[in-house]
């Protein structure tokens, strides 16, 4: 978990930097990422170089966003086992190497795209952007409070684990599996209760400050000309890359 | 591989366009309905509760339960949430978790969000809830809880395998068999952990459970549970048949046609961007997605207006 | 004679599980006063405070600035009573400090831009405008308490209610908070175990025992009478 927390911290740090991409409206960046992902998803594996054009577009994004390319390329690798497994399985079954390697390439490029999006967009802005694109207010508020209380609850779980391992150090040299189960489920139940009470406290604080059941969300900023231009440029680049990628050589 | 297989968060780039597009089209109104129901049926205090419980699931997944043979498992949580907070709330929580996992940890893709939501937040939640609801007032309640945990994992996994097969991923019967074994072990774990945690929560404070516990339409529930079981069995069976899926997929017209082998290069240049059979289908799928998005937005606005009027 | 900011008569409350928490509390407080609420854990201090913001509803009469607490007056009462909770993490639930501070006015029908402007103004007043776009999770306990206070002050309350404000604070942060409280013109009611903090900020103390007010008077006198201090 510490590893995971570190990962999201790294994203936060990148997102606080400044570049042309950082300054774009979050809605535009989300749409651009989706357009790009659709481009990747529809590129047929007609040649080993089919994905080169979209990769070039992506590389431009990383460069313009002033993100550490090496680190992002490395981080994107976390998703490779999944497509690699199913690619290999599929290849062994029907001998179609092109399809198998397309799975891996597409997944990897798609993961890098999400990293690029998150690297140039702070999470709170991104969630507001989702609201602006029509995601229901309830879902966005749930996302916001999930993000807000995630670290708090995880820290709590960690403290409980530490306390538990201190308590029985050396006392039960051979703990039975049953007692371990009982302890783990008891700990989760306590954590469930703590979370429940935390939610009650939060709700109480919201009500005390005038919340009456309906959320008011700030009106999103206007979608500036520069944001339209950005979206148009990305879309054009994707279409061109997509055409270039499907030329069979 | 184990960790990935257990959770089955499908990344982008694996599902074919018709598959991910139609699953997005199915998941968006599905989640929308859950939100609408949740808004209507429960108190205003629910929003922070859903968020904090989402955080609880993240934390709970770090708590290890020993399985034996030096390995351990952990709670996935869909069934537990459905049983404690109700299926509508569970759907909203799991959808939020999937969105954050995709964004922050690249666990599952963005275009595949519809597929993952359908598998885990809709199918998994209802598969976990129905057996529980069905048996909740009888003396087989514990069995219902176990079956809920078990079925939620099995149904999610079966749906994921179905989607992969429809997308053209070939799997030999041996692979299907081994994966089914892994899923079965994970599912049994989920059932046992769900029973243990639910009982412990009830001992601490029964007031924390919010799900309605009345007697449901029993026959309807039985029917749905039976359908789920048959779906799981059916998917695994058809998946294991050689060519079972290719022919099925071709019949219902969702097979991905981009399986061009490199060893047979085309002699001439062509730009199949808007010409190919698959791309027409892809664009039809995307068009459908845009239409669904528009409908949901409009319906959502209308509902909001109605509420405030 | 002016109207008391808080006027409570015969307040009784029993929790749904049957535990009696308040057994007839009478309490008045005037504008400009700062009252410390002392008493053991479970003596009913927090339960009493929750009634002032209408978060719990018992039997008896509660008036805030002359306004009797009822369903109709609830929004106005909640604006008038600024509640600072013990755990700032409960109170700071929005993604950034600025959004959190603007939450109150925004949900009372103030326009979004105006809410944001008021929120920025308060942050400047409390000297924490640098925290504006920070996420609450990364703040120190002292900063969190200040941000929570900002979220309450932005509603222009007539009376501030604090539940154990010093719990998570280190001594320098407690010191800062005491200084800040002395500067704020609103009436203040502070439930606390910290007798030194109470002596520094409050000009009167009320002692709770068994869901009733067992005694009141100057902080020193109350502390002596109930042996309420470290030796």
């Amino acid at each position: 978990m510490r590893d995971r927390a570190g990962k999201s911290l790294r994203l936060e740090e990148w997102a606080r930097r400044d570049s042309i991409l950082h300054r774009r409206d979050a809605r535009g960046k989300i749409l651009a990422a989706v357009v790009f992902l659709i481009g990747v998803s529809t590129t047929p594996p007609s040649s080993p170089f089919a994905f080169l054009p979209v990769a070039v577009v992506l590389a431009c994004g990383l460069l313009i966003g002033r993100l550490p390319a090496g680190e992002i390329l490395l981080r994107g690798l976390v998703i490779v086992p999944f497509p690699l497994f199913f690619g290999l399985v599929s290849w062994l079954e029907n001998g179609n190497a092109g399809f198998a390697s397309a799975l891996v390439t597409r997944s990897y490029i798609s993961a890098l795209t999400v990293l690029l999006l998150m690297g140039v967009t702070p999470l709170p802005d991104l969630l507001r952007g989702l609201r602006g694109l029509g995601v229901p207010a309830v879902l966005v508020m749930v996302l916001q409070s999930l993000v807000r209380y995630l670290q708090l609850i995880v820290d709590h779980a960690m403290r409980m684990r530490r306390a538990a391992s201190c308590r029985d150090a050396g006392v039960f040299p051979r703990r039975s599996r049953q007692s371990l189960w009982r302890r783990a489920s008891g700990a989760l139940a306590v954590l469930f209760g703590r979370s429940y009470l935390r939610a009650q406290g939060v709700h109480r604080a919201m009500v005390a400050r005038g919340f009456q059941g309906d959320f008011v969300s700030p009106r999103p900023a206007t979608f500036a000309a520069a944001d339209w231009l950005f979206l148009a440029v990305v879309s054009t680049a994707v279409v061109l890359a997509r055409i270039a990628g499907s030329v069979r050589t | 591989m184990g960790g990935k297989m257990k959770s089955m968060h499908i990344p982008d780039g694996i599902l074919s366009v018709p598959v991910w597009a139609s699953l997005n089209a199915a998941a968006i109104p599905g989640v929308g309905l859950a939100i609408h129901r949740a808004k209507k049926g429960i108190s205003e205090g629910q929003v922070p509760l859903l968020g904090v419980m989402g955080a609880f699931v993240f934390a709970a997944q770090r708590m290890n339960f020993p399985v034996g043979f030096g390995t351990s498992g952990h709670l996935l949580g869909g069934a537990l949430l459905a049983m404690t907070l109700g299926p509508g709330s569970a759907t909203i929580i799991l959808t939020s978790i999937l969105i954050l996992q995709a964004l922050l940890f690249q666990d599952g893709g963005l275009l595949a969000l519809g597929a993952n939501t359908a598998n885990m937040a809709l199918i998994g939640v209802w598969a976990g809830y129905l057996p529980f609801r069905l048996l909740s007032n009888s003396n087989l309640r514990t069995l219902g809880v176990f079956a809920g945990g078990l079925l939620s994992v099995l149904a999610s996994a079966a749906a994921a395998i179905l989607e992969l097969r429809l997308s053209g991923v070939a799997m030999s019967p041996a692979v299907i068999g081994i994966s089914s074994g892994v899923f079965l072990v994970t599912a049994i774990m989920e059932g046992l952990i769900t029973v243990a945690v639910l009982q412990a929560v009830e001992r601490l404070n029964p007031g924390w459970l919010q799900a309605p516990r009345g007697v449901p339409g029993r026959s309807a529930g039985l029917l749905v549970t039976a359908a789920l079981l048959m779906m799981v069995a059916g998917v695994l069976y058809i998946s294991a048949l050689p060519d079972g899926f290719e022919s099925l997929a071709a019949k219902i017209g969702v097979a991905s046609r981009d399986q061009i082998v490199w060893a047979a290069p085309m002699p001439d240049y062509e730009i199949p961007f808007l010409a190919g059979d698959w791309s027409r289908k892809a664009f039809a799928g995307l068009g459908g997605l845009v239409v669904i998005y528009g409908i949901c937005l409009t319906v959502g606005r209308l509902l909001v207006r109605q509420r405030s009027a | 004679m002016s109207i008391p900011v808080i006027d409570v008569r015969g307040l009784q409350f029993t929790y749904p599980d049957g535990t009696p928490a308040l057994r007839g509390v009478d309490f008045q407080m005037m504008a400009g006063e700062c009252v410390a609420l002392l008493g053991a854990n479970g003596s009913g201090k927090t339960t009493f405070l929750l009634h002032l913001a209408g978060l719990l509803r018992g039997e008896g009469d509660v008036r805030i600035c002359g306004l009797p607490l009822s369903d109709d007056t609830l929004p106005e009462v909640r604006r008038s009573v600024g509640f600072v909770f013990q755990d700032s993490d409960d109170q700071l639930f929005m993604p950034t400090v600025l959004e959190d501070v603007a939450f109150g006015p925004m949900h009372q029908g103030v326009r979004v831009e105006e809410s944001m402007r008021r929120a920025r103004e308060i942050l400047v007043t409390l000297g924490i405008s640098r925290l504006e776009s920070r996420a609450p999770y990364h703040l120190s306990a002292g900063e969190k308490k200040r941000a929570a206070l900002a979220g309450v002050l932005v509603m222009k309350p007539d009376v501030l209610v604090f539940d154990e404000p010093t719990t998570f604070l280190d001594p320098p942060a407690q010191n800062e908070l005491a200084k800040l409280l002395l500067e704020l013109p609103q009436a203040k009611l502070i439930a606390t175990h910290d007798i030194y903090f109470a002596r520094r900020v409050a000009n009167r103390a009320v002692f709770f025992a068994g869901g009733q007010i067992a005694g009141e008077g100057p902080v020193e006198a109350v502390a002596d009478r109930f042996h309420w201090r470290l030796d």
Side-chain angles (χ1 to χ4, degrees):
Chain A
M1 191 64 213
R2 196 141 300 157
D3 173 42
R4 292 201 127 195
K7 278 183 173 179
S8 60
L9 276 182
R10 228 24 214 135
L11 277 180
E12 258 184 77
E13 192 192 315
W14 294 334
R16 275 202 300 271
R17 295 182 182 180
D18 186 40
S19 77
I20 297 181
L21 289 186
H22 284 82
R23 270 170 266 145
R24 294 284 67 78
D25 188 292
R27 288 166 295 175
K29 284 186 273 193
I30 297 168
L31 289 179
V34 169
V35 167
F36 185 84
L37 287 174
I38 291 175
V40 175
S41 174
T42 56
T43 301
S46 48
S47 82
F49 305 107
F51 293 100
L52 201 60
V54 281
V56 169
V57 176
L58 182 71
C60 291
L62 290 176
L63 227 70
I64 297 171
R66 295 191 188 155
L67 296 176
E71 206 173 329
I72 288 191
L73 291 178
L74 213 63
R75 240 186 94 162
L77 288 175
V78 289
I79 62 104
V80 166
F82 191 105
L84 193 64
F85 175 80
F86 286 103
L88 282 177
V89 161
S90 193
W91 182 38
L92 286 175
E93 183 64 11
N94 64 11
N96 189 339
F99 178 74
S101 64
L103 290 191
V104 179
T105 319
R106 278 203 201 115
S107 298
Y108 183 52
I109 293 179
S110 302
L112 296 180
T113 311
V114 176
L115 282 169
L116 170 59
L117 171 67
M118 298 309 292
V120 296
T121 321
L123 189 58
D125 292 357
L126 191 103
L127 296 182
R128 272 194 295 272
L130 288 178
R131 177 79 195 97
L133 289 173
V135 174
V138 172
L139 190 59
V140 174
M141 277 305 291
V142 169
L143 276 164
Q144 285 178 340
S145 51
L146 207 173
V147 172
R148 168 69 182 89
Y149 290 103
L150 179 59
Q151 206 55 45
L152 214 66
I153 304 278
V154 168
D155 284 353
H156 194 84
M158 288 304 175
R159 279 200 300 278
M160 279 171 55
R161 243 170 73 163
R162 246 195 326 272
S165 51
C166 286
R167 251 199 317 274
D168 59 21
V171 180
F172 305 106
R174 293 183 59 202
R175 286 163 297 180
S176 70
R177 194 177 304 160
Q178 201 187 355
S179 82
L180 279 172
W181 264 76
R182 196 169 304 147
R183 203 183 65 198
S185 53
L188 277 193
V190 170
L191 196 63
F192 184 95
R194 289 288 181 127
S195 310
Y196 197 90
L197 296 177
R198 167 72 67 189
Q200 267 185 346
V202 173
H203 179 236
R204 194 175 265 171
M206 291 171 86
V207 170
R209 287 161 72 192
F211 178 68
Q212 291 176 331
D214 277 315
F215 287 103
V216 181
S217 29
R219 201 183 302 279
T222 45
F223 206 68
D227 294 312
W228 283 113
L229 186 67
F230 163 71
L231 193 54
V233 168
V234 174
S235 307
T236 314
V238 169
V239 169
L240 290 178
R242 178 62 193 70
I243 291 174
S246 53
V247 173
R248 287 180 193 157
T249 48
Chain B
M1 203 58 231
K4 280 283 173 208
M5 290 282 287
K6 271 184 216 165
S7 55
M8 279 309 246
H9 288 57
I10 303 175
D12 277 333
I14 296 199
L15 298 179
S16 65
V17 179
V19 171
W20 65 251
S22 53
L23 282 165
N24 274 317
I28 293 172
V31 174
L33 196 67
I35 290 174
H36 184 61
R37 273 181 47 137
K39 262 178 133 173
K40 218 169 43 176
I42 49 189
S43 68
E44 48 170 47
Q46 214 67 14
V47 165
L49 183 65
L50 300 191
V52 176
M53 282 303 167
F56 161 76
V57 171
F58 263 97
Q61 293 183 345
R62 313 289 142 220
M63 199 76 83
N64 287 328
F65 284 74
V67 185
F69 314 109
T71 58
S72 61
H74 63 76
L75 182 74
L76 294 172
L80 183 72
L81 288 179
M83 293 171 198
T84 50
L85 305 177
S89 302
T91 296
I92 299 174
I93 296 173
L94 286 173
T95 306
S96 312
I97 291 177
L98 288 170
I99 292 175
L100 283 181
Q101 282 174 329
L103 291 176
L104 295 179
F105 310 116
Q106 291 75 54
D107 244 351
L110 282 193
L111 298 181
L113 199 56
N116 288 324
T117 303
N119 298 349
M120 283 176 262
L122 292 168
I123 296 173
V125 161
W126 282 99
Y129 182 66
L130 287 174
F132 166 75
R133 185 75 196 270
L134 212 61
L135 299 175
S136 61
N137 282 349
S138 69
N139 44 12
L140 295 175
R141 187 161 176 277
T142 308
L143 181 72
V145 175
F146 174 77
L150 181 97
L151 272 181
S152 76
V153 171
L154 278 188
S156 300
I161 288 197
L162 175 73
E163 288 149 18
L164 291 172
R165 298 286 282 118
L166 284 175
S167 299
V169 176
M171 293 178 209
S172 66
V175 168
I176 298 271
I178 293 169
S179 323
S180 309
V182 172
F183 289 136
L184 194 64
V185 171
T186 313
I188 293 173
M189 279 293 295
E190 181 74 2
L192 291 175
I193 298 177
T194 305
V195 169
V197 175
L198 193 72
Q199 281 177 349
V201 169
E202 276 173 337
R203 267 198 304 277
L204 272 181
N205 186 348
W208 289 335
L209 307 183
Q210 297 213 333
R213 267 160 291 170
V215 181
R218 221 157 250 235
S219 47
L222 263 178
L223 215 66
V224 178
T225 311
L228 277 166
L229 278 171
M230 278 169 59
M231 184 194 102
V232 171
V235 167
L236 296 179
Y237 178 69
I238 304 177
S239 298
L241 287 179
D243 294 328
F245 259 106
E246 278 68 20
S247 54
L248 179 67
K251 260 182 214 141
I252 57 178
V254 294
S256 129
R257 295 287 157 78
D258 54 6
Q259 303 175 10
I260 299 130
V261 188
W262 294 349
M266 294 285 157
D268 52 343
Y269 292 84
E270 82 176 289
I271 301 175
F273 185 57
L274 288 170
D277 185 32
W278 68 268
S279 61
R280 241 184 288 123
K281 264 176 202 146
F283 278 88
L286 287 180
L289 196 62
V290 169
V291 170
I292 296 269
Y293 177 81
I295 291 173
C296 287
L297 214 60
T298 318
V299 171
R301 295 253 162 85
L302 284 177
L303 286 174
V304 168
R305 207 162 294 156
Q306 214 171 34
R307 272 164 57 83
S308 50
Chain C
M1 185 76 194
S2 57
I3 308 165
V5 283
I6 296 176
D7 189 355
V8 175
R9 286 173 204 278
L11 184 62
Q12 298 193 11
F13 180 75
T14 306
Y15 276 103
D17 65 358
T19 325
L22 299 176
R23 314 165 190 247
V25 175
D26 293 295
F27 175 80
Q28 282 79 37
M29 183 172 157
M30 307 306 290
E33 267 195 300
C34 181
V35 179
L37 213 55
L38 305 178
N41 292 323
S43 60
K45 300 190 300 284
T46 301
T47 311
F48 176 65
L49 294 186
L50 290 174
H51 278 83
L52 300 178
L55 293 167
L56 288 176
R57 306 282 287 275
E59 285 167 46
D61 193 29
V62 176
R63 282 166 190 270
I64 305 295
C65 300
L67 203 63
L69 182 65
S70 72
D71 286 340
D72 295 335
T73 59
L74 213 48
E76 175 56 18
V77 164
R78 285 182 178 154
R79 186 210 53 78
S80 181
V81 176
F83 205 121
V84 180
F85 290 85
Q86 177 173 16
D87 190 342
S88 308
D89 280 320
D90 284 354
Q91 197 154 4
L92 301 168
F93 46 78
M94 294 296 280
T96 63
V97 171
L98 180 70
E99 284 172 272
D100 196 86
V101 176
F103 181 91
M106 251 165 66
H107 286 81
Q108 288 185 315
V110 177
R111 282 198 3 265
V112 174
E113 296 76 20
E114 173 64 12
S115 302
M116 294 289 181
R117 194 192 62 74
R118 286 188 198 172
R120 285 206 179 85
E121 201 176 272
I122 287 289
L123 290 175
V124 171
T125 313
L126 293 186
I128 48 171
S129 48
R130 74 202 140 79
L131 305 180
E132 189 180 294
S133 53
R134 296 271 297 278
Y137 182 74
H138 299 297
L139 305 183
S140 74
E143 289 170 334
K144 279 183 192 170
K145 195 54 91 184
R146 246 169 214 258
L149 188 55
V152 162
L153 287 175
V154 74
M155 324 244 297
K156 303 194 169 74
D158 301 295
V159 54
L160 294 172
V161 172
F162 294 85
D163 192 4
E164 299 290 353
T166 55
T167 308
F168 299 103
L169 303 184
D170 54 19
Q174 291 185 14
N175 201 17
E176 289 287 304
L177 181 66
K179 271 195 242 165
L180 179 60
L181 290 194
L182 288 170
E183 283 169 20
L184 292 173
Q186 287 87 352
K188 292 171 279 283
L189 178 59
I190 305 169
T192 182
H193 285 315
D194 187 337
I195 191 71
Y196 301 99
F197 187 80
R199 204 162 51 196
R200 185 153 168 216
V201 296
N203 39 31
R204 175 157 78 93
V206 168
F207 194 88
F208 258 72
Q212 282 172 315
I213 293 181
E216 55 188 301
V219 181
E220 281 300 316
V222 170
D224 282 339
R225 192 175 142 202
F226 294 96
H227 309 291
W228 208 248
R229 57 176 84 240
L230 299 165
D231 286 319

